[in-house]
Amino acid sequence: MDTPADAPRLRRGMRWLLWGALVVLLLVAQSLLVLLTLRYEEARTQDETDAVATSAAIEMRRVLLRSQQSVQSLLWNEPDERQWRLDATEMLRQRREVLRLERRDLELRVQLALDGRPELSLFTVIGRSELEVELQAACATARRSSAPAYSRSYFVPQPSGLGLEVLDLCMPMTRGGHPVGFMVATLGLAAMLDDTVRQAEVGRHELSLVEADGTRLVRAGPMRGAGIYHASRLVDLPGSSLQLRADAVAGRPGLIPNLAIALVLGLSLVLLGLVVLLVRDVRRRGQVETALAESLAFRRAMEDSLVTGLRARDVQGRVSYVNPAFSEMVGYAPEELIGRFPPPYWPPEQVEEYLRRQDTRLQLGVDGGGVHREGYETVFMRRSGERFPVMIYEAPLHDRVGHHVGWMGAILDVSAERRMEELSRQQQERLQAAARLATVGEMASLLSHELNQPLAAIASYATGSLNLMAEPEPDTLALVRQAIERIAEQAERAGRVIKSVHGFVRRREQSREVVAADQLIEAVLPLVRLQARKSGTRIELDLPRPVPSVQADRTMVEQVLLNLTRNGIQAMETEQTPLAQRVLTLKVRQHEPRWVQFSVADAGPGIAPEVAARLFTPFFTTRQEGMGLGLSLCRTVIEQHGGVLDHSPANVPAGSEEAPSGTEFRFTLPAPDSPRRNAPPPPVP
């Protein structure tokens, strides 16, 4: 049994049922109307395409018939060759679709031929004799029926790279009732189709001739067809047939195909919209209230989840809102902050300055000239009394009508960032101190490494002098004098090494001078030959004439040459390199005006890939007595000159089947008066 409270609910349910039924009826009626209209438009477009295809097929038959009559007119009165050529030329000029005329005998041998374009034969690319299969079949049909016959269409390539689709018309010629030959006319399908388009009312349709399998031969028409509405007609010809296809440009009809449907749909949509508005008006108040509650809950949840402090202030500078993150940052509850002035998180010693700053900002806000977003850094105080830096990004706060009512600020605690910056600064100072200590160690290592060579030379010359003085000979005095001069030179060289290495460690610009390449090599040759004689190595020089000059620090470049030659000689002091093959080659080449290339090549066993990867690493060496600084120093010196130091397996003579052996080190130095001193050096090949 229904209660009085159920009556309003029942009436409300009936109203919703009536509204729903009305909406459903409107939707069904509109859907049926649109569907029927679309089908009508599709049928109308297809009927129009069928009519165009039929009209075009009839017109094409007329075009073919006129062409056939024009060709038959050439057989009247049995003209001689001269008259036939004149008549055929005139007919070719008038009938654009006729591309070629031929008179043939009963064996189909060409007696006379005339092209529609005298300057270019139709069968230039492929000869006529190679394209007579279809013609022979048509002429056989014409001979049997004593009537004109058409061949099947075929493709004739043209010199332009394209081609033409053509067919042949074969007419039997008789004299006194007996066959005497054939008249052959080659017709262009494209020209026939163009004439058909001009004569027939094709409208917005594309016409094309297609094969039985749908392959398109030629097309004509103002626009391309959409391939949705199309019709095909068969153009019957004696002995053959052509399939004509009409393709409508129009696609499928849209949702609103005409004005009447548009008006009906518009009125229906207006009526449906009124129904929807009535329904929405009933529920709008409840939806707005629900949305407002959800929005407030979402904003509250978003603000509470932030780790950035949020603070709102009114135009008097009093705090009107803070989020939990800000309360946690300063250590005060929201009720301890809202409405208090000055706020408790201002350090007492900074209150006067903060008041002046706020008065200035409030005045700018009242005047309306300084209300803008800005960020600044300041200091806040926690409840515990700890001062900490904060970054404040503040923007003006407006009410719903656009009046300025205060500021909303985002506050970031940057104390952790400041601590990291201080740690980074201290770490940087430690690194700089460590770098200075490493430089001192590198200087000592380089001095000990680079002084070994001149000191060893001094010791060798001193030992030789003592040996000469122990057993005097007539020329002993001259030899001792020469040895003492060499000792003085090496002592001076040791001094230059100390000075150059000291400058190298300080990374300053060394003193550069113009020196010939052969002078650099001659300066180190005595020491090189001394070590070479101990291992039985031959020294070969390959210098061009004239010898190029370089702009370089002479002492440091000599150290590079000594290191490279010493490494090459030591690489050949193994059983893998026979004594006869121990050759060290020093070569100089100037491949371009700006750079001079030096190379030192040995015939040793070469460098293993795993060693080559670390070859220029400081303190890396494969010898027990080595320090691993030679090649690292060499590369640094060459790079300070702007050049490149690299290595590769030594070259093998052309035509040799031997595997590459040995190693070739190459480096480049700038030539004097280079037009582009700062240009990069060429890559070492």
Side-chain angles (χ1 to χ4, degrees):
M1 181 177 180
D2 295 338
T3 62
D6 294 333
R9 187 182 304 110
L10 182 60
R11 287 194 300 270
R12 191 162 51 248
M14 290 299 297
R15 286 198 301 268
W16 281 110
L17 181 61
L18 291 176
W19 284 115
L22 178 59
V23 171
V24 170
L25 288 176
L26 285 174
L27 293 177
V28 171
Q30 295 305 314
S31 300
L32 290 176
L33 178 61
V34 171
L35 180 61
L36 292 175
T37 304
L38 291 177
R39 290 186 176 179
Y40 169 76
E41 291 293 331
E42 291 177 351
R44 186 178 62 82
T45 306
Q46 184 61 48
D47 292 342
E48 182 181 355
T49 303
D50 292 338
V52 168
T54 302
S55 174
I58 294 173
E59 186 60 37
M60 177 162 282
R61 289 192 186 95
R62 292 177 182 174
V63 171
L64 289 171
L65 181 58
R66 287 195 296 267
S67 300
Q68 180 177 333
Q69 291 174 351
S70 298
V71 175
Q72 285 178 336
S73 66
L74 298 177
L75 301 178
W76 298 343
N77 301 325
E78 298 181 357
D80 55 12
E81 179 180 345
R82 178 177 174 278
Q83 185 62 37
W84 183 87
R85 287 186 178 274
L86 292 175
D87 295 341
T89 301
E90 180 64 20
M91 193 272 289
L92 289 173
R93 186 181 63 81
Q94 296 178 357
R95 308 302 303 176
R96 191 170 58 90
E97 69 273 10
V98 182
L99 304 179
R100 180 182 174 92
L101 289 173
E102 298 174 348
R103 290 181 61 175
R104 295 177 176 245
D105 58 15
L106 291 176
E107 301 300 328
L108 293 181
R109 289 189 294 268
V110 179
Q111 295 177 336
L112 295 175
L114 191 64
D115 285 289
R117 294 173 59 189
E119 71 279 3
L120 181 62
S121 173
L122 180 63
F123 300 96
T124 301
V125 178
I126 299 179
R128 177 58 165 159
S129 60
E130 300 179 13
L131 296 173
E132 290 187 351
V133 176
E134 305 296 342
L135 174 62
Q136 292 174 359
C139 289
T141 303
R143 186 170 185 177
R144 286 195 305 270
S145 61
S146 298
Y150 290 87
S151 71
R152 294 178 57 187
S153 64
Y154 59 94
F155 181 77
V156 180
Q158 295 298 298
S160 63
L162 302 176
L164 298 174
E165 285 288 342
V166 300
L167 57 78
D168 292 325
L169 169 62
C170 186
M171 293 184 177
M173 296 188 303
T174 60
R175 185 176 300 167
H178 299 286
V180 296
F182 300 94
M183 176 74 73
V184 178
T186 303
L187 306 178
L189 297 185
M192 288 193 300
L193 195 60
D194 289 339
D195 290 344
T196 301
V197 171
R198 285 196 299 269
Q199 298 298 328
E201 296 181 358
V202 298
R204 294 172 58 83
H205 290 79
E206 177 191 20
L207 297 182
S208 59
L209 293 174
V210 298
E211 295 278 8
D213 58 356
T215 303
R216 178 181 293 177
L217 300 177
V218 292
R219 64 160 300 277
M223 290 173 285
R224 292 281 184 178
I228 298 176
Y229 304 104
H230 52 82
S232 299
R233 295 292 184 271
L234 197 63
V235 181
D236 291 326
L237 302 174
S240 181
S241 61
L242 296 174
Q243 188 172 0
L244 179 68
R245 177 187 174 99
D247 195 348
V249 175
R252 297 195 181 279
L255 185 62
I256 305 176
N258 52 46
L259 181 60
I261 295 298
L263 292 176
V264 173
L265 287 177
L267 292 175
S268 301
L269 291 175
V270 170
L271 180 59
L272 183 61
L274 291 175
V275 173
V276 172
L277 288 176
L278 288 174
V279 175
R280 290 184 59 191
D281 186 69
V282 175
R283 303 181 59 187
R284 178 171 296 177
R285 183 178 298 275
Q287 292 176 351
V288 169
E289 293 176 353
T290 303
L292 180 59
E294 292 178 353
S295 177
L296 291 174
F298 176 77
R299 194 195 72 170
R300 176 66 65 181
M302 180 179 63
E303 293 173 355
D304 292 347
S305 65
L306 291 176
V307 296
T308 301
L310 296 180
R311 178 194 65 181
R313 296 190 297 168
D314 57 19
V315 292
Q316 285 78 31
R318 299 181 182 275
V319 177
S320 59
Y321 166 79
V322 292
N323 70 337
F326 185 82
S327 298
E328 183 179 356
M329 185 185 301
V330 297
Y332 293 95
E335 55 271 14
E336 297 178 283
L337 299 175
I338 295 177
R340 288 187 58 179
F341 191 82
Y345 52 81
W346 281 5
E349 67 275 9
Q350 300 287 343
V351 170
E352 294 184 3
E353 180 183 352
Y354 286 4
L355 287 174
R356 287 194 301 270
R357 185 192 306 170
Q358 180 165 290
D359 290 341
T360 303
R361 180 170 179 79
L362 290 176
Q363 186 61 39
L364 291 174
V366 172
D367 295 341
V371 180
H372 60 279
R373 292 181 175 87
E374 64 177 7
Y376 57 91
E377 186 174 345
T378 186
V379 177
F380 281 176
M381 182 181 69
R382 307 188 200 274
R383 178 186 285 273
S384 61
E386 176 190 357
R387 274 68 169 171
F388 64 99
V390 294
M391 192 70 182
I392 301 178
Y393 298 92
E394 208 160 31
L397 189 63
H398 300 88
D399 61 8
R400 60 184 180 85
V401 294
H403 293 158
H404 178 228
V405 295
W407 288 270
M408 173 60 73
I411 294 88
L412 301 176
D413 184 355
V414 295
S415 56
E417 287 79 356
R418 297 296 176 266
R419 286 195 296 271
M420 291 299 298
E421 291 176 359
E422 180 63 22
L423 290 175
S424 177
R425 184 187 63 80
Q426 295 176 3
Q427 185 68 19
Q428 186 67 24
E429 291 180 354
R430 295 192 190 98
L431 289 176
Q432 292 177 359
R436 288 192 292 270
L437 291 176
T439 302
V440 173
E442 181 184 359
M443 179 178 174
S445 298
L446 290 177
L447 283 173
S448 63
H449 180 270
E450 296 304 326
L451 288 177
N452 279 336
Q453 293 177 348
L455 291 177
I458 291 173
S460 298
Y461 285 121
T463 301
S465 299
L466 292 175
N467 293 335
L468 290 173
M469 294 175 65
E471 298 178 1
E473 293 184 3
D475 56 348
T476 297
L477 183 59
L479 293 175
V480 171
R481 184 189 301 276
Q482 183 179 0
I484 293 175
E485 291 175 354
R486 295 294 185 182
I487 290 174
E489 291 176 0
Q490 293 304 319
E492 181 184 358
R493 177 179 180 76
R496 293 201 308 268
V497 167
I498 294 174
K499 182 179 179 181
S500 297
V501 172
H502 181 264
F504 165 69
V505 171
R506 294 181 61 187
R507 296 296 190 266
R508 64 173 178 81
E509 184 72 16
Q510 287 86 359
S511 58
R512 305 288 174 88
E513 60 179 315
V514 178
V515 58
D518 57 346
Q519 294 179 7
L520 294 173
I521 295 177
E522 289 175 359
V524 300
L525 271 182
L527 294 176
V528 174
R529 289 196 173 103
L530 181 63
Q531 186 176 2
R533 281 195 295 269
K534 296 179 181 179
S535 61
T537 302
R538 300 193 310 276
I539 306 299
E540 293 185 357
L541 301 181
D542 186 356
L543 304 177
R545 289 291 182 267
V547 178
S549 299
V550 295
Q551 181 96 20
D553 184 337
R554 179 169 184 166
T555 303
M556 296 307 295
V557 174
E558 289 175 1
Q559 294 298 315
V560 172
L561 287 172
L562 281 175
N563 280 330
L564 296 180
T565 54
R566 182 188 60 193
N567 290 344
I569 293 173
Q570 291 177 351
M572 293 184 288
E573 294 177 346
T574 61
E575 297 180 355
Q576 300 178 12
T577 306
L579 189 61
Q581 298 180 7
R582 296 181 182 179
V583 179
L584 185 70
T585 303
L586 281 72
K587 183 169 62 176
V588 178
R589 289 291 183 271
Q590 187 169 7
H591 297 292
E592 60 177 61
R594 298 191 303 271
W595 299 96
V596 179
Q597 178 179 290
F598 292 74
S599 67
V600 178
D602 62 69
I607 301 175
E610 60 273 10
V611 175
R614 304 177 58 192
L615 197 59
F616 296 100
T617 304
F619 301 105
F620 171 76
T621 181
T622 57
R623 297 192 298 270
Q624 295 182 355
E625 70 279 3
M627 298 182 63
L629 291 173
L631 290 177
S632 175
L633 169 66
C634 292
R635 169 168 281 188
T636 303
V637 169
I638 297 302
E639 289 177 351
Q640 285 183 347
H641 284 77
V644 174
L645 172 63
D646 204 350
H647 69 91
S648 65
N651 296 327
V652 176
S656 175
E657 298 181 356
E658 299 179 2
S661 63
T663 305
E664 181 180 7
F665 281 85
R666 298 177 297 272
F667 63 88
T668 53
L669 293 175
D673 300 327
S674 175
R676 291 177 56 192
R677 179 61 51 83
N678 296 327
V684 178

